[in-house]
């Protein structure tokens, strides 16, 4: 959880559905996509204001090779290049001729003005 005081930009909480750490201001959990707040219309909470980064790539294990293993790691760095977060997102194995596609997206919304939220 965050050390940022509740009600300020960047404050976090735990999603009651999937237990991931999410922004306190989130109306929909970006991990499990469950609606979290019922004080605003659904349309105001489902889409990010912008997606400034979206990268998608795939790879296929050659048909004439053995099994491959993979680890997907996400690293976030600040403007000084210092690592501020590192997360193992997933691991797995692929048999010959199997394919995996990975998508990374960064969704951004303006920070809320604060205030008390109603959660369920």
């Amino acid at each position: 959880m965050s050390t940022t005081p509740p009600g300020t930009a960047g404050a976090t909480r735990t999603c009651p559905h999937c237990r991931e750490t999410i922004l306190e201001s989130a109306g929909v959990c970006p991990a499990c996509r469950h609606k979290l707040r019922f004080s605003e219309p659904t349309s105001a909470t489902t889409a990010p204001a912008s997606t400034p980064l979206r990268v998608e790539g795939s790879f296929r294990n050659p048909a004439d090779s053995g099994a491959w293993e993979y680890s997907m790691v996400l690293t976030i760095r600040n403007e000084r290049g210092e690592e501020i977060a590192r997360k193992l997102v997933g691991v797995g194995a692929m048999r010959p001729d199997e394919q995996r596609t990975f998508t990374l997206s960064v969704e951004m919304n303006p920070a809320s003005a604060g205030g008390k939220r109603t959660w369920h």
Side-chain angles (χ1 to χ4, degrees), residues 87-107:
K87 181 101 173 177
L88 177 63
V89 178
V91 298
M94 298 168 48
R95 293 187 300 265
D97 208 32
E98 282 189 323
Q99 179 176 321
R100 297 290 185 275
T101 301
F102 298 86
T103 304
L104 164 74
S105 63
V106 177
E107 299 174 349

Side-chain angles (χ1 to χ4, degrees), residues 5-21:
T8 61
T12 60
R13 68 182 303 265
T14 301
C15 172
H17 304 283
C18 68
R19 311 308 297 165
E20 285 288 332
T21 300

Side-chain angles (χ1 to χ4, degrees), residues 7-10 23 25 108-114 117:
T8 61
L23 288 170
S25 60
M108 296 185 69
N109 289 296
S112 67
R117 304 228 181 275

Side-chain angles (χ1 to χ4, degrees), residues 39-78:
S39 61
E40 295 179 20
T42 302
S43 62
T45 61
T46 56
S50 69
T51 305
L53 175 66
R54 180 178 162 80
V55 180
E56 184 170 292
S58 61
F59 57 90
R60 179 176 295 282
N61 188 1
D64 59 350
S65 71
W68 283 2
E69 295 180 323
Y70 62 88
S71 300
M72 184 174 180
V73 179
L74 174 68
T75 305
I76 302 172
R77 297 181 186 277
N78 65 15

